[in-house]
Amino acid sequence: MDPINRRKFLQTGFLASGAVLLAGKSWGKNEAAQPSLYQAPMVSWPEKKPLIMHSNTPPLLETPREVFATAITPNDRFFVRWHHAVIPQSIDLKTWALRIEGNVDSPVSLTLQDLKTRFEPVEFVAVKQCAGNSRSNFKPITGGIQWGHGAMGCALWKGARLKDVLQYARIKANSQFIAVNGLERPTLPTTPPFVRKLDIDESMRDDVIIAYAMNGSDIPLLNGYPVVLVVPGYFADNWVKMLERIVVLDKDEPVFYTDKAYRMPDTNPFGAVEPGGEMPQKTRPVKALKIKSVIAKPSPNAEFRRGAHIEMTGVAFDSGMDIRDVLVSVDGGLTWTSSHLDRDLGRYAFRKWNYRFISKKRGPCTLMCRAINRLGETQPLARDMGWNPSGYQWNAADSVTIQII
Ligand SMILES: Nc1nc2c(c(=O)[nH]1)N[C@H]1C(S)=C(S)[C@@H](COP(=O)(O)O)O[C@H]1N2
Ligand SMILES: [Mo]
């Protein structure tokens, strides 16, 4: 088949599976198979246990689903995403310093020791999630890394407040934005480097920190050693890694990775367009996390004997509004019940949940989960999940099908 016809064939495939879904009785059956994706291998990298590798230049490493059976993601299982391939293999603390310059009275260069000793340390647990996490679920398929649910993790972050550091450099009153970049470089000089812009109000938040510790240890090199910007409640494109420089701006200046990339259609509250459609003229930046939950265990296709006790567990989170309930279904979405919520590790953390049940009937059994927060916000079902051309912000109710034998 020539490539064009093959593409048409695949699109017909999508439509056909969609039609089956609409005719189906329960919305648990809506995770119809996509044409199967290339199975990424499990590979170990420095400071990492095996992770699902989507690319090695730059490293794109995904956390396997079962790791989300705990609320804290260990550093050696934490996902990795870089835009550009020329990444320092080591950092020499004798020469590394973070520069703060631009619209400030006194530009400063801070060593890691300065950041640790001159500023009040702040510590909290927060979820870091890529805007493209779970992208492989979109139908039709969108461009970008075909992540499963593992482009996310939750850690205890410790660092200095960005606000304190900006005030230390005596930021001027008319400042409007900051531009932050990392130490890595694109392979081609024509490719824009990874620079992100934050509004000054966001930069002056009490809980935005320059983190130098992750789960009580140094940050792994692949996760941005020596320091990472942590913007709790926001998607990870804002969390610049391996910081090099912060430039304070007194007026807006276009920055590729904020003004062109990481945008949602500004069409409706969901940022959705017609499936398969184009990015409209009007867009808005990816910011606050959307309420979401993921099943860690059991694993897809796991087998259990009829009558066995089955423990279902996973995590839920939102942008910091307080997860109140995680509903679970063990019959593909026909009936729902509340799961047990584990200890609260803070408003930005993963909330672990679990639910035990006895499998009664032989055959496939579809497990689902759906979180609800204090504002009453909940997750859409997969069939109601709006589509956007970049495949961002997937947050439909998760489902896993197991076999009862
Ligand atoms: N310096 C730098 N920081 C970065 C990026 C990058 O490419 N370079 N990517 C961002 C994106 S899109 C994501 S999802 C997270 C990934 O962080 P992790 O590798 O620690 O999981 O880093 C963010 N910060
Ligand atoms: Mo990302």
Side-chain angles (χ1 to χ4, degrees):
M1 224 185 282
D2 69 67
I4 292 172
N5 277 334
R6 184 173 152 73
R7 212 170 135 229
K8 274 209 184 112
F9 169 76
L10 292 175
Q11 280 169 355
T12 321
F14 290 129
L15 290 177
S17 57
V20 170
L21 295 181
L22 293 176
K25 278 199 191 115
S26 94
W27 40 262
K29 301 268 191 284
N30 58 11
E31 294 248 338
Q34 299 230 37
S36 67
L37 288 165
Y38 161 75
Q39 276 275 315
M42 297 285 288
V43 178
S44 293
W45 279 70
E47 304 176 273
K48 297 285 175 186
K49 290 211 180 105
L51 294 168
I52 305 160
M53 190 176 78
H54 292 271
S55 152
N56 63 356
T57 16
L60 300 174
L61 313 175
E62 175 173 346
T63 303
R65 198 188 255 279
E66 65 272 13
V67 174
F68 304 120
T70 59
I72 298 289
T73 314
N75 291 2
D76 59 11
R77 309 300 310 271
F78 210 94
F79 84 102
V80 173
R81 196 267 191 263
W82 292 90
H83 288 76
H84 302 313
V86 187
I87 306 166
Q89 306 278 301
S90 65
I91 299 286
D92 181 358
L93 291 184
K94 288 197 214 72
T95 53
W96 180 86
L98 173 63
R99 286 185 287 142
I100 296 100
E101 54 193 49
N103 200 41
V104 295
D105 280 338
S106 50
V108 288
S109 252
L110 297 168
T111 64
L112 186 59
Q113 195 58 17
D114 293 336
L115 286 166
K116 288 182 175 175
T117 55
R118 294 198 188 179
F119 305 94
E120 184 193 345
V122 179
E123 204 171 28
F124 52 81
V125 177
V127 173
K128 181 178 201 181
Q129 184 191 209
C130 179
N133 191 30
S134 314
R135 178 184 284 127
S136 59
N137 293 282
F138 279 102
K139 296 176 195 118
I141 214 160
T142 74
I145 309 151
Q146 294 303 307
W147 300 110
H149 294 312
M152 64 172 193
C154 177
L156 172 65
W157 306 95
K158 182 180 181 185
R161 282 188 198 92
L162 172 60
K163 170 184 165 181
D164 294 349
V165 169
L166 292 174
Q167 280 168 351
Y168 182 81
R170 291 197 276 130
I171 179 172
K172 293 185 185 165
N174 66 341
S175 300
Q176 288 196 39
F177 297 93
I178 63 165
V180 188
N181 78 287
L183 274 169
E184 87 282 12
R185 295 289 179 264
T187 39
L188 293 175
T190 46
T191 310
F194 192 76
V195 183
R196 289 281 309 187
K197 196 165 62 186
L198 273 184
D199 297 347
I200 208 66
D201 309 353
E202 293 167 330
S203 314
M204 300 303 267
R205 265 170 58 177
D206 273 333
D207 53 7
V208 171
I209 64 171
I210 298 171
Y212 43 71
M214 180 176 173
N215 292 329
S217 309
D218 285 348
I219 296 168
L221 202 69
L222 286 168
N223 296 110
Y225 181 84
V227 296
V228 175
L229 189 65
V230 168
V231 189
Y234 273 25
F235 279 99
D237 39 300
N238 297 283
W239 299 42
V240 182
K241 304 194 289 183
M242 205 175 266
L243 298 186
E244 180 179 49
R245 211 153 62 109
I246 299 175
V247 183
V248 181
L249 305 174
D250 62 358
K251 59 177 185 307
D252 199 1
E253 283 174 30
V255 158
F256 180 84
Y257 284 100
T258 301
D259 296 297
K260 288 268 182 278
Y262 292 103
R263 315 274 310 174
M264 291 290 284
D266 197 7
T267 41
N268 50 40
F270 312 104
V273 298
E274 194 62 25
E278 307 254 301
M279 191 63 110
Q281 275 290 317
K282 244 184 114 209
T283 62
R284 58 172 185 257
V286 163
K287 288 198 173 175
L289 292 169
K290 302 273 220 103
I291 186 166
K292 185 164 176 171
S293 60
V294 165
I295 300 167
K297 287 180 183 165
S299 304
N301 296 318
E303 290 186 353
F304 295 88
R305 293 216 165 274
R306 190 166 65 96
H309 287 264
I310 300 177
E311 166 127 354
M312 210 179 143
T313 189
V315 292
F317 63 97
D318 66 357
S319 65
M321 299 304 157
D322 191 4
I323 295 295
R324 279 295 164 89
D325 201 2
V326 178
L327 299 178
V328 292
S329 171
V330 300
D331 55 12
L334 291 174
T335 58
W336 293 83
T337 174
S338 288
S339 65
H340 168 257
L341 294 189
D342 218 352
R343 207 153 55 92
D344 185 355
L345 300 180
R347 58 190 290 216
Y348 298 119
F350 274 160
R351 190 77 188 262
K352 188 182 156 176
W353 53 268
N354 69 296
Y355 180 71
R356 296 193 66 169
F357 70 102
I358 296 174
S359 51
K360 297 201 190 86
K361 219 173 64 203
R362 288 209 170 85
C365 170
T366 297
L367 313 177
M368 299 182 72
C369 65
R370 198 177 188 191
I372 302 171
N373 68 13
R374 185 175 46 82
L375 305 179
E377 291 170 336
T378 188
Q379 303 175 245
L381 303 172
R383 69 159 181 223
D384 300 327
M385 177 78 216
W387 190 94
N388 67 87
S390 308
Y392 287 150
Q393 305 191 349
W394 174 274
N395 75 327
D398 192 19
S399 75
V400 157
T401 299
I402 59 171
Q403 303 297 330
I404 310 300
I405 53 172

